[in-house]
Amino acid sequence: MALPTACALIAVLALPGGPAQADDAAPRVDLRVLVVTDGGPAVDAIAAELDTAGTPYTEVDLQQPGRPVIDAAFLADTVEGRPRAKYQAVVLPNDNPFSTGSPEMAALATYERTYGIPQVDAYTYARPEVGLQYAVGSGYAGSLDGVEAQVTTVGRAGPFGYLDGAVPFEDNSPSVGESYAYLSQPAAGADFTSYVDAQIPGRATRGSLVGEYRHDGRRELVVTFVYNRYQQQFRLLARGIVEWMTGGVHLGASRNYFAVHVDDVLAADDRWDSTLNCTPGDVDCEPGEGVPNPIRMTAEDAGYAATWQSDRNFTMDFAYNAAGSVDHRQDNNGVDLLADKLIVDRNRFRWINHTYTHAFLGCEQDVSVVPWRCATLPDGTTKWVSRNEISDEIATNRVWGQVSGLPLDNTELVTGEHSGMRLLPQQPTDNPNLAPALADNGVTWLASDNSREVGQRQLGSATTVPRYPMNIFYNAGRAAEQVDEYNWIYTSRQQGGSGICEDNPATTTCLPAPLDTTTGYTDYIVPLETRIALGHVLGNDPRPHFIHQSNLAEDRIAYPVLNGVLDSHARLFADNTPVVNLRMKDIGAELSKRSVWKSAVESGDVTAYRIGDTVTVRAPATVAVTATMPAGTTRGTAAFGQPYAGKVSAWVTGTPLPLVLTLPPSAVSGTVHGGTGDAPATNETAPRARVPAGVLRQVPYSRER
């Protein structure tokens, strides 16, 4: 084994009792998870959770010809004379996905007994072989759509302690079966502890949905409901599944992130015309069609926003266009009560430069046609907005903000409509003048539209930060306007809509019927947008959401959705698992570190293992390491990491010196609890997972300015 050098980061995690020392009699256990999949959604969901958190795993696809054979040599070997377990946990599609008498299952059982390795049964049915009674008769097998399960007292004291208790199962569509589960109590004599349960229909008893079965010197986490990676019930439990299988010591980390950018602050947004089905003053209407009727926040709206933030302990990011205030003062004898109020309350918000006039910074637009097209020079080449014009938009807006005392971070920028970057179909390439202008102004974080570009990319000096568009439209200040436009977009031509949903069935779902303009916003759009945004929050996804200042004006239609997300989170999670509300540059940095970490893990540049009470992590010094440890872990005499969900976690930047972390006494683990003897592994084949018929998912139709 190569000795560590200055080019490697070495993290040593030791139990108390003096300097970190390796136990000569202890085996080495690598911090990597073995994921065995049969192509079903449950294993895919767990793998996605590991992937998002940055926890290394090896996947074996049972359906893949030529796959590795899972035998003793695949699972363990010897390194420098010490036995090595190559995986700290095993995830299987069910308790035995192999054929009867399979030597692979026997090898796994022996491996788990020998090294104390836990096994997750991603989805299996209730029966004595997994420590449960058969569901037929005393239990239940069927749909759990709309049922609210609960974390048990033991579950809250253990791996699911970050939850407040409720685990609601989704019921998004009455015509779609979204869940299937077996509810059952422990079998007679079984050493089984339920962590999550639900009421058995028609009975006074509750049945397990997630529980630990200890037998045969082994530990299994038995999950008896099917799920996919997007469903709320899985997203709520995913963290606990990982913490159970790793004992709370693993690479990678997870948070519940939520950030909201409000674009066009100080400007006015054009209003949707319900008769013309377009937005007068914007490019979706024919030139000269209709009369613009702009929407602009008032001082009262600004005051409401500040108070709402204080009440919710949440901060919005205001992306501002200073020309909106300058023009308003010119038209109103120097008066702009909105700007005055926002400047007084400037430190209650975060601020982002959104350019001075919200100009389109890509190609020069020819709006004589609908849809618009890029203007061209006489030789047929694209006519681009110049470097100086782009720089003026950035710099002039910045100066106004500095004079007004806004707490800006000049490395952040949101261009109008995310312009300057490629935009299909009209502008398939970036404006070549954008990158130089960004560098001229010290911009290193540039907002992009996640509905157009999912990942980060480099654009000159700047790295993009993808933002989720909320389906709360920029051109709607009132709920009825929002619903009318929503109906136009999401209904068929036969129903009076645009037919966009018919033309793009792969990305847009048609409504079965137009929504009622009086009740449709509250009854349909708000719950749907809340569910979509909450899904991002529960998915360890830091990317921000963006709305517009018009949505904080008039009917203030954004707040029901924002309240829905925050209220749902507060109801579901314990106080030790708060919403993490980052500003744009910190979100960009988080995404960038994840990308570098993922590449290092996939290329084999990261190794991590435990020997006795010591865990060692090696990575290149240029790679920040992400790790989650038990609360109370220390780095020298200082606490390690930041507390979250009952654990501590952090990014550790490269250093030529060893990093020594000491685990608290409560973290001493590794022995198998309960169950003795040498009973053979069960060879009964578990059923193929029953997959939900589908989950209603609405892909946002980006309506931005």
Side-chain angles (χ1 to χ4, degrees), residues 1-4 28 30 79-80 82 84 607 609 611 616 618:
M1 180 182 298
L3 294 174
R28 162 176 162 168
D30 286 1
V79 175
E80 296 184 335
R82 184 184 300 275
R84 175 176 70 146
T607 59
Y609 55 88
I611 299 176
T616 303
R618 288 193 174 91

Side-chain angles (χ1 to χ4, degrees), residues 631-643:
T633 298
T634 57
R635 177 181 180 181
T637 59
F640 165 74
Q642 297 79 45

Side-chain angles (χ1 to χ4, degrees), residues 57-310:
Y57 68 95
T58 295
E59 184 173 271
V60 174
D61 187 346
L62 297 179
Q63 298 178 319
Q64 185 68 37
R67 67 169 177 84
V69 175
I70 300 174
D71 56 16
F74 178 81
L75 297 168
D77 60 9
T78 300
V79 175
E80 296 184 335
R82 184 184 300 275
R84 175 176 70 146
K86 298 180 183 179
Y87 309 101
Q88 67 179 133
V90 175
V91 177
L92 299 182
N94 47 63
D95 57 293
N96 180 9
F98 305 97
S99 59
T100 301
S102 167
E104 290 185 289
M105 190 65 237
L108 279 168
T110 298
Y111 172 72
E112 292 168 9
R113 278 194 298 271
T114 301
Y115 296 101
I117 303 300
Q119 174 183 308
V120 175
D121 303 336
Y123 166 62
T124 191
Y125 69 94
R127 66 196 197 287
E129 287 80 2
V130 293
L132 293 168
Q133 300 174 32
Y134 286 105
V136 177
S138 61
Y140 170 79
S143 172
L144 284 191
D145 291 6
V147 169
E148 184 161 287
Q150 292 286 329
V151 180
T152 66
T153 301
V154 178
R156 292 190 64 187
F160 300 98
Y162 57 91
L163 294 173
D164 251 354
V167 182
F169 276 60
E170 292 183 333
D171 187 14
N172 300 326
S173 171
S175 62
V176 176
E178 298 162 34
S179 66
Y180 193 93
Y182 298 91
L183 294 172
S184 181
Q185 293 191 314
D191 188 355
F192 189 99
T193 301
S194 181
Y195 292 141
V196 182
D197 65 15
Q199 187 75 35
I200 297 175
R203 298 181 183 275
T205 54
R206 303 181 68 82
S208 180
L209 288 166
V210 181
E212 180 175 338
Y213 179 39
R214 293 168 294 274
H215 67 104
D216 185 27
R218 301 162 59 207
R219 297 167 61 223
E220 293 181 49
L221 191 70
V222 179
V223 183
T224 57
F225 70 95
V226 70
Y227 47 89
N228 66 47
R229 65 169 75 182
Y230 303 106
Q231 290 178 299
Q232 180 175 273
Q233 54 264 33
F234 169 73
R235 293 259 39 97
L236 291 171
L237 298 172
R239 179 191 303 276
I241 292 172
V242 172
E243 295 307 324
W244 181 89
M245 75 167 80
T246 63
V249 178
H250 61 87
L251 300 181
S254 178
R255 296 278 195 280
N256 294 348
Y257 297 95
F258 190 43
V260 177
H261 293 184
V262 183
D263 289 2
D264 304 354
V265 172
L266 297 175
D269 290 300
D270 296 316
R271 189 186 304 272
W272 172 257
D273 189 303
S274 299
T275 301
L276 297 173
N277 290 321
C278 66
T279 311
D282 211 337
V283 295
D284 62 333
C285 274
E286 296 288 347
E289 186 178 18
V291 178
N293 180 18
I295 310 162
R296 189 174 191 256
M297 290 173 65
T298 65
E300 290 73 20
D301 294 326
Y304 185 93
T307 300
W308 178 86
Q309 288 192 151
S310 297

Side-chain angles (χ1 to χ4, degrees), residues 263-271 279-282 292-298 319-328 331 336 338 354 356-358 474-476 548-551 553-554 705:
D263 289 2
D264 304 354
V265 172
L266 297 175
D269 290 300
D270 296 316
R271 189 186 304 272
T279 311
D282 211 337
N293 180 18
I295 310 162
R296 189 174 191 256
M297 290 173 65
T298 65
Y320 73 98
N321 307 108
S325 177
V326 173
D327 293 345
H328 191 88
D331 296 339
D336 185 3
L338 170 62
H354 193 27
Y356 187 64
T357 68
H358 199 282
Y474 81 94
N475 50 4
H548 295 80
Q549 64 84 33
S550 52
N551 309 140
E554 299 181 347
R705 176 181 183 276

Side-chain angles (χ1 to χ4, degrees), residues 433-473:
N433 299 316
L434 178 61
L438 297 176
D440 293 342
N441 289 275
V443 175
T444 55
W445 301 108
L446 177 66
S448 62
D449 186 339
N450 190 75
S451 67
R452 301 173 186 169
E453 298 187 56
V454 175
Q456 283 186 299
R457 65 183 177 99
Q458 203 69 24
L459 211 163
S461 63
T463 304
T464 60
V465 180
R467 306 189 302 167
Y468 284 114
M470 281 188 162
N471 261 9
I472 310 173
F473 302 138

